[in-house]
Amino acid sequence: MPLMRATHCPVAQPVLANAGLAGRRNRQPRIESLAYSFTLPAEPHCAATARAAIRSALDVHGLAPHADLAVLAATELIATAVKLTPDRELYLSLRYRTGALRLVLWDQHPRHTDPDDVSLCAERRLGALWLLAASVDECGGEWGTTEAEPPQRGVKSWAVLPCRRLDTGGKRP
């Protein structure tokens, strides 16, 4: 008798415990399913945690050749946020969409009311991201920062890193 997996949802149908898994055993997840996010403290040590998580996720999804650039991008985004918004939380997102890795970091930087403060703070953030800018530009990617839209608060920074050579429709290259 096949083993059934129960569900707590009253409308979901029970499924066989091994249904759909027989052909997937020992296979890596699809590239398109790469979608991870987590919250980190805005402390210097959190960059190491992010680097380890990113390397692991990219390796599992068959994107290990892109780990060095993704790790560099995340490190630069995190280091800048930690300098500008210490002792707050950071939210990091790593996704693969349409042939590119997308890293997004939200920090809780306070909203400035004085236009001079807004300009100076943005200038410092962009200046601190010079290595990110050079690396992302070199690979043909995109990057940027923007103030979060209400009701959110803080700053959203991102890097889009092309992975065209590995965009194989979910199949392993």
Side-chain angles (χ1 to χ4, degrees):
M1 173 181 288
L3 181 63
M4 301 294 280
R5 186 177 73 201
T7 177
H8 291 286
C9 177
V11 295
Q13 298 296 316
V15 295
L16 294 176
N18 294 329
L21 298 179
R24 292 195 51 87
R25 263 189 240 283
N26 299 324
R27 283 186 22 195
Q28 294 175 320
R30 294 175 306 116
I31 292 171
E32 291 78 16
S33 70
L34 189 138
Y36 297 90
S37 56
F38 47 97
T39 304
L40 299 161
E43 298 175 6
H45 74 274
C46 73
T49 302
R51 286 191 295 269
I54 289 168
R55 281 195 188 282
S56 178
L58 294 180
D59 183 50
V60 166
H61 288 272
L63 293 168
H66 301 286
D68 288 343
L69 184 56
V71 162
L72 172 71
T75 300
E76 293 299 307
L77 292 171
I78 291 168
T80 300
V82 167
K83 287 180 196 169
L84 293 169
T85 314
D87 301 324
R88 303 271 180 102
E89 289 185 339
L90 306 173
Y91 174 80
L92 180 66
S93 169
L94 171 67
R95 306 269 187 271
Y96 176 89
R97 298 291 182 268
T98 59
L101 290 174
R102 299 171 187 276
L103 286 128
V104 179
L105 182 83
W106 285 274
D107 63 43
Q108 297 181 34
H109 190 77
R111 190 177 304 261
H112 298 293
T113 54
D114 182 318
D116 291 337
D117 290 342
V118 171
S119 179
L120 180 59
C121 199
E123 184 180 311
R124 286 186 178 166
R125 185 178 295 266
L126 294 176
L129 292 170
W130 68 269
L131 182 57
L132 174 73
S135 301
V136 172
D137 289 348
E138 178 71 23
C139 77
E142 300 173 23
W143 71 281
T145 66
T146 188
E147 192 168 323
E149 297 292 324
Q152 304 299 322
R153 61 183 179 157
V155 174
K156 178 174 103 171
S157 305
W158 69 90
V160 178
L161 312 171
C163 297
R164 290 181 189 97
R165 292 180 308 227
L166 295 179
D167 192 13
T168 59
K171 299 180 180 100
R172 292 287 169 238

